[in-house]
Amino acid sequence: MRIETRIKEFRARDGLSQGELAKRVGVRRETIGNLEIGRYNPSLALAWSIAAVFGVPIEAVFTVHPDEP
């Protein structure tokens, strides 16, 4: 499964750095960077927290692409 993210787009919209977002959701800045480049898939709790910071549903920030059979 691949998860596409729009975190960087929402951060730009809200004027947040990776560090500021990381602090708000309780992770390291590197975690946010890895999420943005697709190197890491978030837990449901982290995805929920990130979406809440931006005030949007999870689906607005994250799109799940199932593996090909």
Side-chain angles (χ1 to χ4, degrees):
M1 166 176 31
R2 182 175 62 84
I3 298 180
E4 185 178 324
T5 177
R6 294 176 57 206
I7 294 172
K8 189 172 185 177
E9 179 182 331
F10 280 102
R11 279 194 314 99
R13 180 197 76 176
D14 293 353
L16 291 174
S17 69
Q18 287 180 345
E20 290 167 330
L21 176 58
K23 187 173 183 178
R24 289 190 187 190
V25 298
V27 298
R28 295 176 14 179
R29 185 208 53 81
E30 292 83 4
T31 301
I32 299 300
N34 285 329
L35 286 168
E36 289 183 354
I37 62 173
R39 199 177 279 168
Y40 173 73
N41 286 337
S43 67
L44 181 56
L46 179 54
W48 200 284
S49 295
I50 291 170
V53 166
F54 298 133
V56 298
I58 289 175
E59 296 87 356
V61 183
F62 300 97
T63 304
V64 177
H65 298 281
D67 289 333
E68 296 294 322

